[in-house]
Amino acid sequence: MGSLPPSLDLPSPNAKSQQIDQTTLLNLFKSQQNHLNYFFRNLDLSQTLTFTQTLLHCNGTIFFSGVGKSGFVANKISQTLISLGIRAGFLSPLDALHGDIGALSASDILVLFSKSGNTEELLRLVPCAKAKGAYLVSVTSVEGNALTAVCDLNVRLPLERELCPFDLAPVTSTAIQMVFGDTVAIALMGARNLSKEEYAANHPAGRIGKSLIFKVKDVMKKQNELPICKEGDLIMDQLVELTSKGCGCLLVIDEEHHLIGTFTDGDLRRTLKASGEAIFKLTVGEMCNRNPRTIGPDAMAVEAMKKMESPPSPVQFLPVIKDDNILIGIVTLHGLVSAGL
């Protein structure tokens, strides 16, 4: 392969002019803030409430549609509703006219996002959606637009101007569309009394879901994975058990599997330093911690992590016990991290 043309490595002729300073950037953020404040001050809450209640009482699916940047926003809002357990979807105005409108029914709502309200693709979609019996809602910013004349409900998002110096690039209009849609989504979430557990069930693979779903019993080591010993065992006889199970400790139990205490690799080092050769005669029971932190199997895994990190000093593991102090497992910090917590 040949090398890249040398010209590609040369700076552009006007490179010196391609700069931006902190003051300019700050002024842009302040201007965008002012434009957003204009939206908040002038938003018609009665319109917004009617829109929100309409979505809340929808018996079918809430579809969103839009073109270009408004289409990206519409798609994102539909995904937010889906994540909240609300039947929603994105309907591409182009694909809708080539078969996808078959998903639309008389019990559905179709929300059309458009800054101008004069988007040709959406206007072509309207009569087809009406023929399916869907309820149409326009969400626009320009007053007196074509969509408002043909939809069943109209919501106007007040727009002072775009942040773009030419007032063309849709950077403020899309911001207020996103704020509007996501705020309505959270209003619906509250009205439906969505619980943390229900929300987590919709996000099982993410950290949010895992922290709300996983219990200690789901992530603990058990049975043959446990580094167990008896209190009468000599420390030096248990070195393999201490190091081979990857827990950094020994769990000291009696004949009925009651937890007596724990002995860590840190305890081993301290005992060796303090006792020297006498360590060969010491038992685990003589040197173990008889008051370790423990946790139950039905506690949330995230609670286990918090307990490990709590004062006076953090620990790397927690023995898992059930009624009557019976040892049934161990949860480690490494195991929690590996599980995505």
Side-chain angles (χ1 to χ4, degrees):
M1 294 177 65
S3 59
L4 291 174
S7 59
L8 294 180
D9 297 325
L10 296 176
S12 59
N14 61 344
K16 290 184 178 180
S17 65
Q18 296 180 4
Q19 298 177 2
I20 189 167
D21 57 62
Q22 183 173 317
T23 301
T24 301
L25 189 60
L26 178 60
N27 288 337
L28 284 171
F29 277 112
K30 286 183 176 179
S31 294
Q32 183 74 312
Q33 182 182 35
N34 290 334
H35 298 331
L36 293 176
N37 286 338
Y38 176 87
F39 161 73
F40 290 123
R41 287 194 305 268
N42 293 280
L43 179 65
D44 188 331
L45 287 179
S46 63
Q47 275 187 353
T48 304
L49 179 60
T50 300
F51 172 70
T52 306
Q53 290 175 333
T54 299
L55 299 192
L56 179 63
H57 298 125
C58 178
N59 294 320
T61 301
I62 305 169
F63 286 99
F64 294 82
S65 190
V67 176
K69 308 300 187 297
S70 293
F72 293 141
V73 174
N75 193 6
K76 190 274 177 189
I77 295 170
S78 72
Q79 294 301 312
T80 298
L81 292 184
I82 291 171
S83 75
L84 300 178
I86 299 172
R87 283 181 293 171
F90 177 74
L91 186 64
S92 163
L94 177 61
D95 294 336
L97 300 183
H98 292 273
D100 283 5
I101 201 169
L104 208 59
S105 72
S107 60
D108 298 334
I109 294 174
L110 177 59
V111 183
L112 306 172
F113 273 84
S114 171
K115 172 188 172 180
S116 69
N118 297 313
T119 309
E120 291 184 8
E121 294 88 342
L122 295 181
L123 290 171
R124 287 199 295 268
L125 174 60
V126 166
C128 305
K130 282 192 170 185
K132 299 286 289 185
Y135 187 87
L136 303 187
V137 182
S138 74
V139 181
T140 62
S141 288
V142 176
E143 294 186 89
N145 61 74
L147 274 179
T148 60
V150 293
C151 288
D152 301 297
L153 175 66
N154 303 292
V155 180
R156 179 174 171 268
L157 305 185
L159 175 65
E160 185 176 32
R161 59 158 290 142
E162 301 286 1
L163 183 64
C164 166
F166 310 122
D167 195 18
L168 294 176
V171 290
T172 303
S173 56
T174 51
I176 64 177
Q177 286 176 344
M178 190 76 77
V179 168
F180 173 81
D182 281 345
T183 304
V184 168
I186 298 304
L188 294 174
M189 177 183 180
R192 291 163 62 92
N193 296 314
L194 187 74
S195 67
K196 277 188 177 181
E197 291 71 25
E198 290 171 326
Y199 183 79
N202 297 333
H203 300 76
R207 189 174 185 276
I208 296 174
K210 289 177 180 178
S211 67
L212 294 173
I213 292 176
F214 280 15
K215 294 186 176 182
V216 168
K217 62 185 177 184
D218 299 319
V219 295
M220 71 181 187
K221 293 185 176 184
K222 48 193 172 183
Q223 298 177 349
N224 294 335
E225 299 175 292
L226 300 182
I228 58 175
C229 70
K230 303 296 175 58
E231 61 178 329
D233 294 338
L234 292 174
I235 292 175
M236 299 308 291
D237 290 343
Q238 296 299 318
L239 292 184
V240 173
E241 188 74 4
L242 175 63
T243 57
S244 64
K245 299 295 177 68
C247 297
C249 70
L250 290 170
L251 302 174
V252 189
I253 60 173
D254 63 14
E255 296 297 334
E256 286 78 34
H257 267 256
H258 294 103
L259 179 68
I260 295 174
T262 61
F263 184 83
T264 69
D265 48 11
D267 293 329
L268 174 64
R269 290 191 296 271
R270 286 185 290 271
T271 302
L272 182 60
K273 183 177 180 180
S275 305
E277 292 184 1
I279 194 173
F280 289 98
K281 298 180 180 180
L282 293 174
T283 65
V284 179
E286 291 177 279
M287 305 306 296
C288 73
N289 172 18
R290 291 179 177 264
N291 189 32
R293 299 178 204 177
T294 61
I295 197 164
D298 292 319
M300 301 306 295
V302 70
E303 290 180 27
M305 181 172 287
K306 290 178 181 177
K307 197 167 188 178
M308 289 182 194
E309 297 172 344
S310 64
S313 59
V315 296
Q316 300 294 310
F317 66 91
L318 292 174
V320 183
I321 60 173
K322 62 178 182 179
D323 296 339
D324 299 326
N325 203 41
I326 300 293
L327 177 72
I328 60 172
I330 185 172
V331 58
T332 66
L333 183 60
H334 179 268
L336 293 175
V337 173
S338 298
L341 293 164

